[in-house]
Amino acid sequence: MSEGVEWALHGCLNLAWAEEGEDARAVPAAVLARMYELPPAYLNKQLQALARAGIVGSTSGPRGGFRLARSPREITLLDVVVAIEGADEAFRCTGILGQGPDGDPSVDYRKTCVISQTMRRAELRWRRELAGQTLADIMTTVRERFPAVPGETRDRLANLRP
Amino acid sequence: MSEGVEWALHGCLNLAWAEEGEDARAVPAAVLARMYELPPAYLNKQLQALARAGIVGSTSGPRGGFRLARSPREITLLDVVVAIEGADEAFRCTGILGQGPDGDPSVDYRKTCVISQTMRRAELRWRRELAGQTLADIMTTVRERFPAVPGETRDRLANLRP
DNA sequence: GATCTTCTACTCGGATAAAATCTGTCCGAGTTCAGTAGG
DNA sequence: CCTACTGAACTCGGACAGATTTTATCCGAGTAGAAGATC
């Protein structure tokens, strides 16, 4: 899995904290990058993927940057992962059963192949878990365990502006 | 996920069918490769990984090849996946929380980071599912749905020998 | 003082390169078996 | 006839290239705001 997934998740979380502040300004990619000492241009690229997926909105120019495009309650972790990694399943069943000399091209082996089914079921469990966790859920848990984090994050974001 | 996982899973299943036959000979990689028209040397490479993991045993020379190293009941799909893909988690949490200017190196953020925990829990679901399915389970299901497959497979393996 | 224009600085967005990984290939080490010579 | 020896074919195992994906960088298009000139 691409490392950008972690960046994107933390980025969204930070955008969510920022959104809660009084002066909710858009956050430039460079500010998020400074927060974790990440390559700014590359982080920007990942955020572009989030923008294409409709998870964040982007604005150019001064006072521009990224902000969440919808409520944290309507952003699941799966949404973010899919936006970065793509929607393809990790286990690519090429249907090798049909490739052999005795293979029947008219059969869809992804449906009948028991191995494929089992792998897909496991992957479905993973997806379900991620689809069941929204950004809002994460925020609630963080607030319970570390009440200071939201405020601190907003402060850091403000201080990291140029 | 590497495509070799699919090859390895089907390879193990075929080895399991072969093991049930009367004249249980080791199966060369070349024979398995012909079955699905795969590059023989590369498939051999994947089987080597299975051998290193102790899932299959290998024998050199004439009448050599691969065979299951233990009972299908004691081989889980997770074993095979880990043997090919490695034991690393898909979501690599680099603990970026600790990398920023305000990060505390003494804290293990993989333990405290809520995002990391959630991602790991999802991945755990995936692993549990795969760990709960043994090669024997797959064989049972296949036999229920396609009773002819075991015999046909043994025949095909025999016919594909040089 | 208000307004319009110009100008600069800032931000995203996609095109472009370097690095790492996955995929595929090749040849050597070791082993089994068949054939052969000798007792 | 039985045994030991030689040789050859077969198989795995790891070292060696090619292709694809991931990671990282750079520069241009567009925009908001500030400064300055004009009315």
Side-chain angles (χ1 to χ4, degrees):
Chain A
M1 180 173 308
S2 166
E3 195 165 352
V5 173
E6 188 183 5
W7 304 358
L9 288 170
H10 278 279
C12 285
L13 187 55
N14 284 332
L15 290 181
W17 296 134
E19 207 83 7
E20 286 190 331
E22 286 299 318
D23 53 343
R25 301 168 56 183
V27 183
V31 172
L32 290 172
R34 267 194 285 276
M35 202 145 174
Y36 306 119
E37 291 174 357
L38 300 176
Y42 190 36
L43 175 60
N44 188 22
K45 199 177 178 63
Q46 311 291 355
L47 292 172
Q48 282 176 37
L50 293 181
R52 274 192 294 273
I55 295 172
V56 303
S58 63
T59 318
S60 282
R63 294 186 68 84
F66 294 91
R67 57 177 57 198
L68 293 184
R70 51 183 198 260
S71 158
R73 296 174 60 182
E74 296 168 6
I75 299 176
T76 71
L77 296 199
L78 184 61
D79 292 335
V80 177
V81 171
V82 166
I84 303 294
E85 289 282 286
D88 293 350
E89 303 181 0
F91 180 75
R92 316 166 243 181
C93 189
T94 54
I96 65 176
L97 289 178
Q99 285 177 7
D102 297 341
D104 184 346
S106 68
V107 178
D108 182 0
Y109 285 102
R110 276 182 311 188
K111 293 278 174 55
T112 60
C113 171
V114 177
I115 289 176
S116 178
Q117 287 175 348
T118 306
M119 294 298 288
R120 288 157 74 95
R121 193 186 323 140
E123 207 163 322
L124 189 61
R125 295 285 161 94
W126 178 76
R127 288 177 120 82
R128 270 193 199 286
E129 183 71 25
L130 291 185
Q133 293 289 318
T134 69
L135 206 51
D137 295 331
I138 301 287
M139 292 168 75
T140 300
T141 306
V142 170
R143 223 190 292 268
E144 285 172 358
R145 296 194 197 165
F146 313 103
V149 163
E152 285 175 3
T153 303
R154 274 189 290 275
D155 290 347
R156 288 172 65 184
L157 285 173
N159 292 134
L160 288 171
R161 286 184 182 276
Chain B
M1 180 175 306
S2 166
E3 195 165 351
V5 173
E6 189 182 5
W7 303 357
L9 288 170
H10 278 280
C12 285
L13 186 55
N14 284 331
L15 289 180
W17 296 134
E19 206 84 7
E20 285 189 330
E22 286 299 316
D23 53 343
R25 301 168 58 184
V27 182
V31 172
L32 289 172
R34 267 193 284 278
M35 203 146 174
Y36 306 118
E37 291 173 358
L38 301 175
Y42 191 36
L43 176 60
N44 189 23
K45 202 178 177 62
Q46 312 290 358
L47 292 172
Q48 283 176 36
L50 293 180
R52 273 193 293 272
I55 295 172
V56 303
S58 63
T59 318
S60 282
R63 295 186 67 84
F66 294 91
R67 58 177 56 200
L68 293 184
R70 50 184 199 261
S71 157
R73 297 173 59 181
E74 296 169 5
I75 298 175
T76 71
L77 295 199
L78 184 62
D79 292 335
V80 177
V81 171
V82 166
I84 302 293
E85 289 282 287
D88 294 350
E89 305 180 0
F91 180 74
R92 318 167 241 179
C93 188
T94 56
I96 64 176
L97 288 178
Q99 286 176 7
D102 297 340
D104 183 346
S106 69
V107 178
D108 182 0
Y109 286 101
R110 278 181 310 188
K111 294 277 175 55
T112 59
C113 171
V114 178
I115 289 176
S116 177
Q117 287 175 348
T118 306
M119 293 299 289
R120 288 157 73 94
R121 192 186 325 138
E123 205 163 324
L124 189 60
R125 294 284 162 93
W126 179 74
R127 289 178 119 82
R128 270 192 199 287
E129 183 70 26
L130 291 184
Q133 292 290 319
T134 68
L135 207 51
D137 295 331
I138 301 287
M139 292 168 75
T140 301
T141 306
V142 170
R143 223 191 291 267
E144 286 171 359
R145 296 193 199 165
F146 313 101
V149 163
E152 285 173 5
T153 303
R154 274 190 290 276
D155 290 347
R156 287 172 65 185
L157 285 173
N159 293 133
L160 288 171
R161 286 183 181 276

